[in-house]
């Protein structure tokens, strides 16, 4: 395997003393897990943040081997991690995507939608401008994996929050049923913060 492509980093787990196992969402290869040497070191720590857009060079000698990856930062989401709502939203959408998508299945629509949602979260002046996009992304993820219906029509913040609440049981039942980690905790934190806006 040899892949060079832009990727959205959706999860990073410490491995050993300084390395990281990164899960990367690429447009053509889907989710790829890869070993990043020095991922917790001073130089790569700001790169290996979920939500970041990176240029990834991924190599493996065989398909059964965990690939090695070299990452170069293209767009950082780091500045928004100190803001309560954007940081909670980035944590939720990346954790959901990492937990729900199987590896090495291409989902180009989800790749584009996640990139657009992260851009909206980081460029909007208020959360009101991206909550609808979040609800639509969750619905798209359910639909792409075979559990959802049509794209919801959303007429405002109140309706977007209602749709988020209606989608939570579907996400818990269908997308996160087999996960060991409590991924929904990130969603509950985000939903508590969004409730303060109303």
């Amino acid at each position: 395997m040899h892949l060079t492509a832009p990727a959205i980093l959706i999860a990073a787990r410490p491995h050993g003393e300084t390395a990281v196992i990164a899960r990367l969402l690429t447009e053509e290869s889907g989710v790829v897990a890869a070993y990043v040497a020095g991922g917790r070191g001073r130089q790569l720590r700001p790169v290996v943040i979920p939500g970041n857009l990176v240029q990834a060079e991924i190599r493996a000698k065989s398909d059964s081997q965990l690939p090695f990856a070299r990452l170069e930062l293209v767009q950082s989401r780091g500045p928004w991690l100190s803001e309560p709502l954007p940081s909670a939203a980035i944590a939720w959408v990346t954790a959901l995507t990492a937990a729900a998508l199987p590896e090495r299945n291409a989902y180009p629509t989800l790749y584009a939608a996640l990139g657009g949602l992260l851009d909206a979260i980081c460029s909007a002046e208020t959360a009101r401008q991206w909550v609808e996009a979040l609800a639509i992304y969750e619905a798209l993820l359910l639909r792409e994996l075979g559990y959802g219906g049509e794209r919801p029509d959303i007429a405002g913040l109140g309706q977007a929050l209602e749709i988020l609440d209606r989608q939570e049981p579907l996400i818990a039942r269908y997308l996160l049923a087999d996960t060991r980690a409590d991924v929904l905790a990130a969603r509950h934190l985000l939903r508590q913060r969004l409730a303060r806006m109303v």
Side-chain angles (χ1 to χ4, degrees):
M1 175 187 192
H2 182 186
L3 171 68
T4 302
I8 301 169
L9 198 141
I10 54 175
R13 189 179 77 226
H15 183 77
E17 289 188 28
T18 61
V20 163
I21 304 294
R23 296 194 75 212
L24 304 157
L25 178 61
T26 65
E27 185 172 13
E28 295 180 6
S29 299
V31 176
V32 179
Y35 180 88
V36 180
R40 291 182 3 209
R42 191 169 24 124
Q43 289 182 326
L44 285 179
R45 193 177 310 131
V47 175
V48 186
I49 295 173
N52 278 355
L53 180 64
V54 297
Q55 183 68 23
E57 182 181 348
I58 303 168
R59 293 177 181 261
K61 293 181 182 177
S62 69
D63 284 342
S64 62
Q65 180 187 37
L66 180 68
F68 287 85
R70 285 190 351 197
L71 306 179
E72 185 176 317
L73 185 63
V74 175
Q75 186 175 6
S76 175
R77 309 292 183 199
W80 288 271
L81 297 182
S82 62
E83 299 292 326
L85 271 171
S87 66
I90 292 168
W92 163 241
V93 297
T94 55
L96 172 63
T97 305
L101 292 184
E103 289 195 16
R104 304 206 184 172
N105 289 333
Y107 292 98
T109 305
L110 287 174
Y111 173 83
L114 180 59
L117 175 57
L118 290 168
D119 287 343
I121 290 168
C122 295
S123 64
E125 292 178 15
T126 69
R128 293 175 186 274
Q129 297 170 324
W130 53 256
V131 171
E132 291 180 26
L134 174 64
I136 291 169
Y137 178 75
E138 287 183 353
L140 176 64
L141 189 59
L142 284 162
R143 189 171 66 242
E144 286 283 314
L145 294 176
Y147 300 110
E150 297 298 314
R151 173 184 166 141
D153 290 324
I154 301 172
L157 176 65
Q159 190 175 18
L161 295 175
E162 287 175 19
I163 290 170
L164 285 174
D165 291 339
R166 279 199 315 258
Q167 288 175 163
E168 183 174 331
L170 297 173
I171 290 168
R173 181 176 179 186
Y174 297 120
L175 302 184
L176 303 177
D178 295 333
T179 59
R180 292 183 191 148
D182 186 13
V183 178
L184 279 176
R187 191 179 203 279
H188 293 151
L189 176 64
L190 172 62
R191 191 60 188 89
Q192 287 171 358
R193 290 179 179 174
L194 287 172
R196 293 180 195 147
M197 292 186 341
V198 180

